[in-house]
Amino acid sequence: MCTSVFMSPPLSIVIFLLSAYHTGSIALAASVNNTSETFFKLCPPTRCSNSGPIIRYPFRLNTQPTFCGREGYQLSCSANNAVFPLRLSGDYYVREIYYPNNWISLTEIPKNSPNCPIQSLLSFNRSGSILEEPNGNLAIANCSQGVVETEGLFGPIDCLSDGGDGNGSLVYVMDGSYPMDKLPSQCIIFKYVRFAHVLDVEVPLERLMREGEIIENYRIDYECLVCERDGNYCGFNSTSNETMCSSPMARKSSNVALIVGTSVGGGTTLLALSMFIIYRFRKSDNERETELKIEKFLQSYKTLIPTRYTFSEIKGITSRFKKRLGQGGFGSVYQGKLANGVPVAVKVLESSKGNEEEFINEVATISRIHHFNVVHLVGFCYEGTWRALVYEFMPNGSLDKFLFSKEGNRSQSRPILNWETLQQIAKGVAHGIEYLHQGCNQRILHFDIKPHNILLDQNFQPKISDFGLAKVCAKNQSVVSMTNARGTEGYIAPELFSKNFGEVSYKSDVYSFGMLLLEMVGYKKNDHVSDESQEAQIYFPEQIYDRMSEGMELGLQVEMDGDEEIGKKLALVGLWCIQWSPTSRPSMTRVVQILEGDLGNLEMPPRPFLSSRIDHS
């Protein structure tokens, strides 16, 4: 255990503040430039009603100038309620916005349909919005009969259940943060739904079940988040493309002095300020200890890790973050160029999410990997609160941009990938995962294989990226110890949720790869909760299995001879890879052999999942 060398706040700070109270006053000046002053005058905080949430940057009302908020953060007023639009789910009322921890509370706009609070989450689709990818899951389970009270289990959900007399089923919801082996034996999980466990919000699941309230983190720049957490207001200078930070006092004048006098109120303020300083110093002790550990690691392995850049150099490489390539729950990715003219992609992380471990994990893991189908880490930045990773630039972006358009079908703004290219991508990813599992001195488990993390170079050769959730273990280690599920909904192997399905191992990556293959075949995202059609309520891979097992055509768009066979091969391999039992899945070495050869006598696998159909007739 590394012991922090930093002390608690020097007593002199507190003594100075208290002595200032006895001797007179202390003035703290805060100056604001004209640009900041103008922004906050033109974009003042507003609301739709006296009891409604305060609306300010990064949000804005549609009646305010566009520069008052970020793109996608526009709200409107309806019947004294603030309304937040979700492109794929419709409009929601805004109950609360908490800027220091960047979360927003939403509820469905009341409809004439029967009240079913949990349905608001099942039909909730945050794709393509400003909302971050959630950090948790809910398990939706069918139970043949009622269950005794179990911690983390809620239900039965009357509006989704159809009895419990042996002829129907009762639907329960299990919080994914609880061990899934606590689920009663008479219950079978049929669906996982992403669910946000938001910082400083108590029992959000209970609020969801009771009122249909959905609490989500929205994306925000780290500089802005720090500003808000210090009690200030964040703004944006669209001319210089820079974040602005202004204190509530500073917004009243261009040059404000805060006077703390000898009154009782001044004494109270000083005491509170003293206590605040003590709190902040003590709170940061653990953060400093973590930083010292990381610094020690970086110094010990500096000959093995890539170039370390200062934050000033990162700003130069990205031309002050001029061109944003994308944004996610981790932060933002910017296009840049090294001094020698080599193009790069710079991923700037939001350290507010407690991802110190993920950051250093990614640096340490990817630094030891040298493979054509794994993205190359050029360098990194670890300075103060700034964390950035510098990768080789992939001009064709990520695979998901081609598979999923805004309409959820084939992309209209990008070229359609032909079947030969899809097969090339599948083979490349398979080779990359096989290398991670077998080609290094130690086995590397990725735990987040998905289209978003498959980057494509100028020739559409795939590169596996994002090793923030990766785990390194010995090659002969068949079982990996995990304290909680990691990965992305739709790609997480069942054993990561519950040991009832088997032990966590390298086969968990095989499952994720299988899901990726099936999405390539269907050119359809594995997320159907927003589609109300009967067919969409069936688990997407189940549709493919049913068609293949019954000898039906997959309904693929083919253009050349051999396309149908490629599609069937990818689908069949995908179905083998997503077997619920890890022991039934092939190794990546076997997967590569099949993809590089022909199907031969490869048989149809057993049904790889329990039926997701709920009969309410």
Side-chain angles (χ1 to χ4, degrees):
M1 176 68 72
C2 176
T3 304
S4 174
V5 298
F6 290 91
M7 306 288 289
S8 290
L11 226 24
S12 57
I13 297 179
V14 180
I15 292 173
F16 168 74
L17 289 172
L18 293 176
S19 65
Y21 162 67
H22 288 293
T23 58
S25 64
I26 177 173
L28 301 176
S31 59
V32 182
N33 60 44
N34 290 332
T35 305
S36 176
E37 181 183 8
T38 302
F39 176 87
F40 290 108
K41 281 184 177 180
L42 294 176
C43 307
T46 185
R47 56 192 354 162
C48 294
S49 67
N50 291 333
S51 58
I54 294 176
I55 300 168
R56 56 181 178 82
Y57 186 87
F59 296 93
R60 71 173 179 90
L61 276 181
N62 57 355
T63 55
Q64 293 180 298
T66 56
F67 60 77
C68 289
R70 291 178 57 174
E71 183 179 355
Y73 290 69
Q74 177 179 297
L75 307 180
S76 60
C77 293
S78 175
N80 293 327
N81 290 292
V83 177
F84 174 69
L86 267 179
R87 178 172 51 82
L88 298 178
S89 296
D91 293 343
Y92 287 78
Y93 283 150
V94 181
R95 295 183 59 166
E96 186 178 356
I97 304 174
Y98 188 64
Y99 296 90
N101 280 338
N102 63 303
W103 58 257
I104 185 171
S105 167
L106 306 170
T107 56
E108 268 194 319
I109 296 177
K111 303 181 178 70
N112 294 327
S113 56
N115 184 36
C116 188
I118 187 65
Q119 193 66 45
S120 63
L121 183 64
L122 297 180
S123 61
F124 192 78
N125 192 331
R126 63 186 64 79
S127 299
S129 74
I130 64 168
L131 303 178
E132 292 184 352
E133 185 67 23
N135 54 0
N137 295 278
L138 294 182
I140 314 297
N142 266 340
C143 301
S144 57
Q145 59 187 33
V147 301
V148 297
E149 185 174 341
T150 303
E151 187 177 13
L153 188 68
F154 296 84
I157 313 301
D158 294 337
C159 56
L160 297 180
S161 303
D162 59 2
D165 53 3
N167 298 319
S169 63
L170 298 172
V171 177
Y172 285 78
V173 177
M174 185 88 174
D175 189 336
S177 62
Y178 289 86
M180 287 296 146
D181 52 15
K182 287 189 175 183
L183 190 69
S185 58
Q186 67 265 37
C187 300
I188 297 176
I189 296 173
F190 70 89
K191 182 185 296 184
Y192 287 102
V193 181
R194 293 300 272 173
F195 179 70
H197 291 280
V198 178
L199 184 66
D200 293 339
V201 179
E202 295 183 2
V203 289
L205 179 54
E206 291 183 10
R207 288 165 67 166
L208 168 67
M209 302 297 293
R210 184 177 63 250
E211 305 171 21
E213 181 181 8
I214 300 173
I215 302 175
E216 298 266 325
N217 284 114
Y218 57 84
R219 298 182 180 124
I220 191 67
D221 293 332
Y222 180 62
E223 286 177 303
C224 202
L225 197 58
V226 171
C227 172
E228 294 285 349
R229 289 184 175 179
D230 284 340
N232 299 319
Y233 280 12
C234 186
F236 189 73
N237 185 334
S238 56
T239 303
S240 62
N241 199 32
E242 292 180 335
T243 297
M244 298 182 297
C245 188
S246 176
S247 70
M249 290 291 292
R251 290 194 305 277
K252 297 179 181 179
S253 171
S254 61
N255 190 8
V256 178
L258 171 62
I259 306 299
V260 184
T262 58
S263 64
V264 174
T268 304
T269 303
L270 277 170
L271 180 59
L273 184 58
S274 302
M275 296 302 293
F276 174 73
I277 291 175
I278 293 173
Y279 166 76
R280 285 299 295 268
F281 270 77
R282 286 181 177 171
K283 184 180 179 182
S284 61
D285 278 348
N286 289 336
E287 296 172 0
R288 290 196 182 98
E289 184 173 335
T290 300
E291 290 177 3
L292 286 173
K293 288 179 181 178
I294 293 177
E295 280 292 352
K296 185 176 181 180
F297 169 84
L298 294 176
Q299 288 300 318
S300 300
Y301 293 91
K302 62 182 178 181
T303 59
L304 302 176
I305 57 179
T307 304
R308 183 175 182 177
Y309 295 100
T310 65
F311 182 64
S312 178
E313 289 173 320
I314 292 295
K315 287 194 289 186
I317 291 172
T318 59
S319 300
R320 299 186 67 86
F321 309 106
K322 184 176 181 180
K323 185 175 181 180
R324 191 199 303 263
L325 298 176
Q327 187 169 0
F330 57 81
S332 299
V333 178
Y334 301 89
Q335 186 172 335
K337 184 182 292 186
L338 300 180
N340 59 6
V342 174
V344 291
V346 180
K347 181 165 75 171
V348 180
L349 307 181
E350 293 182 358
S351 58
S352 62
K353 292 297 174 189
N355 55 15
E356 295 286 320
E357 182 180 342
E358 287 186 18
F359 171 79
I360 202 64
N361 189 43
E362 184 155 5
V363 173
T365 302
I366 202 169
S367 296
R368 70 182 74 185
I369 302 172
H370 302 282
H371 189 272
F372 180 74
N373 294 116
V374 178
V375 71
H376 173 57
L377 182 66
V378 177
F380 69 99
C381 170
Y382 183 84
E383 180 182 319
T385 58
W386 292 103
R387 310 286 180 265
L389 297 165
V390 183
Y391 288 106
E392 59 178 320
F393 178 66
M394 296 288 106
N396 278 315
S398 55
L399 178 59
D400 66 309
K401 301 290 196 308
F402 291 88
L403 298 186
F404 317 133
S405 73
K406 292 183 177 180
E407 290 76 28
N409 209 322
R410 289 183 182 270
S411 173
Q412 303 300 317
S413 60
R414 290 175 176 263
I416 294 176
L417 301 178
N418 60 43
W419 284 103
E420 280 293 339
T421 303
L422 287 173
Q423 181 172 238
Q424 168 188 292
I425 293 170
K427 290 179 180 179
V429 176
H431 277 290
I433 301 175
E434 182 196 25
Y435 174 81
L436 296 178
H437 291 178
Q438 302 292 340
C440 301
N441 293 331
Q442 291 179 298
R443 178 172 285 159
I444 299 172
L445 310 185
H446 189 279
F447 285 122
D448 204 15
I449 298 295
K450 60 181 179 179
H452 181 81
N453 290 337
I454 305 302
L455 304 181
L456 304 173
D457 69 10
Q458 65 274 17
N459 298 316
F460 290 95
Q461 293 290 345
K463 313 272 187 177
I464 300 171
S465 69
D466 201 336
F467 286 75
L469 300 181
K471 195 174 181 70
V472 179
C473 62
K475 276 189 177 181
N476 59 359
Q477 185 177 344
S478 58
V479 176
V480 179
S481 176
M482 301 284 288
T483 56
N484 58 346
R486 56 175 68 187
T488 302
E489 179 197 3
Y491 307 90
I492 305 175
E495 63 270 18
L496 281 161
F497 290 106
S498 173
K499 289 184 178 180
N500 292 338
F501 297 110
E503 299 288 353
V504 177
S505 68
Y506 66 94
K507 293 291 187 74
S508 301
D509 280 347
V510 177
Y511 180 93
S512 302
F513 177 72
M515 283 298 187
L516 183 144
L517 287 183
L518 294 177
E519 288 194 327
M520 292 170 68
V521 172
Y523 246 42
K524 176 181 177 183
K525 195 169 185 181
N526 185 25
D527 178 7
H528 59 260
V529 294
S530 63
D531 191 335
E532 296 181 357
S533 67
Q534 179 63 33
E535 181 177 311
Q537 296 308 316
I538 304 173
Y539 185 46
F540 169 53
E542 191 172 350
Q543 299 174 23
I544 295 181
Y545 184 88
D546 288 345
R547 283 178 172 271
M548 293 193 71
S549 62
E550 295 169 11
M552 298 171 61
E553 293 292 326
L554 293 179
L556 305 178
Q557 294 189 15
V558 296
E559 298 158 0
M560 301 176 62
D561 291 342
D563 283 355
E564 186 77 25
E565 282 304 307
I566 292 175
K568 287 182 178 179
K569 178 194 286 189
L570 298 184
L572 191 57
V573 173
L575 291 173
W576 272 108
C577 289
I578 66 167
Q579 293 291 305
W580 275 40
S581 172
T583 57
S584 300
R585 301 172 203 150
S587 67
M588 287 308 301
T589 299
R590 176 60 180 147
V591 168
V592 168
Q593 292 172 349
I594 299 172
L595 291 177
E596 291 289 2
D598 53 47
L599 288 176
N601 296 322
L602 187 64
E603 298 178 350
M604 191 72 183
R607 194 174 193 84
F609 29 67
L610 300 169
S611 177
S612 67
R613 296 176 174 87
I614 306 177
D615 187 3
H616 291 288
S617 58

